[in-house]
Amino acid sequence: GAVVSQHPSRVICKSGTSVKIECRSLDFQATTMFWYRQFPKQSLMLMATSNEGSKATYEQGVEKDKFLINHASLTLSTLTVTSAHPEDSSFYICSAIRQDEQYFGPGTRLTVT
Amino acid sequence: AQSVTQLGSHVSVSEGALVLLRCNYSSSVPPYLFWYVQYPNQGLQLLLKYTSAATLVKGINGFEAEFKKSETSFHLTKPSAHMSDAAEYFCAVTLNTDKLIFGTGTRLQVFP
């Protein structure tokens, strides 16, 4: 099946710094990727849709200037959390579409201290 | 707008017992419905999906779900629970292949 990877799997950063999370489709090209956020013991909430070669589409309530998304190639989308704060600590999961099905990455645990 | 409701945030069963995880959906048009499983600190794995073909959908690991339009339900079942089934299960709905709307999840515990 299709494989989606994320890097890093875990990251700890200090408040006020920025952190970049990568999402890669390893064996297929994905023009569309999604970024989700999952708080402890809660469901996944879609943050944004990442489109290769164009601007990301953000869901209502998600700050586009804080969560920068870049989809520069057909196999890579990045999410940068800028000026991170402790409330940004969460589990971030990406997914990529292949043949009408979403394949999810393993997630990145972000902890902001 | 579409939505899903998962009744029961926690379900506990004994090993070998029937697993039933409930999901009800709301959609103005026939939706696509999904069940995903998530193990701790991992992403989601697709168990099965309904895309308007057969109403009884068989998935991986012995799971199946039945689409019942009259009840707006898509409950997940497995005849005999295994210890390895312990995980978080999410029901999701979409009108296309894009924006998945997830339920709040059900944590399944399996006791020996």
Side-chain angles (χ1 to χ4, degrees):
Chain A
V3 179
V4 177
S5 70
Q6 283 184 240
H7 177 79
S9 58
R10 292 176 177 270
V11 58
I12 301 173
C13 70
K14 293 186 176 181
S15 185
T17 63
S18 296
V19 60
K20 180 185 289 187
I21 303 170
E22 294 183 347
C23 177
R24 294 182 184 271
S25 55
L26 296 184
D27 53 355
F28 66 101
Q29 294 182 328
T31 56
T32 302
M33 293 183 175
F34 299 94
W35 287 97
Y36 296 84
R37 183 174 181 176
Q38 185 180 29
F39 289 103
K41 300 183 179 181
Q42 294 188 30
S43 187
L44 282 75
M45 299 298 294
L46 179 64
M47 298 175 65
T49 303
S50 173
N51 301 297
E52 188 269 335
S54 64
K55 292 184 178 180
T57 304
Y58 290 82
E59 295 299 302
Q60 189 174 4
V62 177
E63 299 176 59
K64 62 180 181 181
D65 294 330
K66 180 170 185 60
F67 297 99
L68 300 179
I69 292 173
N70 184 279
H71 195 155
S73 78
L74 288 171
T75 59
L76 174 64
S77 174
T78 61
L79 169 67
T80 301
V81 183
T82 63
S83 187
H85 288 92
E87 56 265 31
D88 298 324
S89 298
S90 190
F91 195 52
Y92 292 86
I93 301 175
C94 72
S95 71
I97 289 183
R98 182 193 185 201
Q99 296 179 349
D100 296 333
E101 185 169 325
Q102 282 196 43
Y103 292 88
F104 288 82
T108 297
R109 171 82 54 197
L110 171 63
T111 303
V112 184
T113 61
Chain B
Q2 312 86 47
S3 66
V4 288
T5 302
Q6 291 184 242
L7 296 177
S9 58
H10 289 81
V11 171
S12 298
V13 299
S14 299
E15 190 173 21
L18 172 70
V19 176
L20 171 60
L21 305 182
R22 299 178 185 275
C23 173
N24 287 87
Y25 70 92
S26 173
S27 178
S28 57
V29 297
Y32 297 133
L33 293 159
F34 304 79
W35 275 100
Y36 288 89
V37 61
Q38 183 182 34
Y39 296 98
N41 294 313
Q42 295 186 28
L44 276 69
Q45 181 181 5
L46 179 65
L47 280 176
L48 49 82
K49 61 181 178 181
Y50 167 76
T51 57
S52 75
T55 56
L56 181 63
V57 182
K58 294 186 181 297
I60 62 172
N61 301 339
F63 285 94
E64 63 181 37
E66 186 173 8
F67 174 74
K68 292 186 176 180
K69 184 178 180 180
S70 61
E71 300 178 7
T72 62
S73 68
F74 190 58
H75 302 330
L76 182 70
T77 60
K78 182 174 181 177
S80 177
H82 192 272
M83 296 296 290
S84 60
D85 294 327
E88 188 87 19
Y89 291 81
F90 292 96
C91 182
V93 64
T94 185
L95 293 183
N96 49 46
T97 56
D98 289 355
K99 295 184 180 181
L100 286 170
I101 308 298
F102 286 90
T104 51
T106 298
R107 180 166 298 277
L108 175 65
Q109 287 185 306
V110 182
F111 293 100

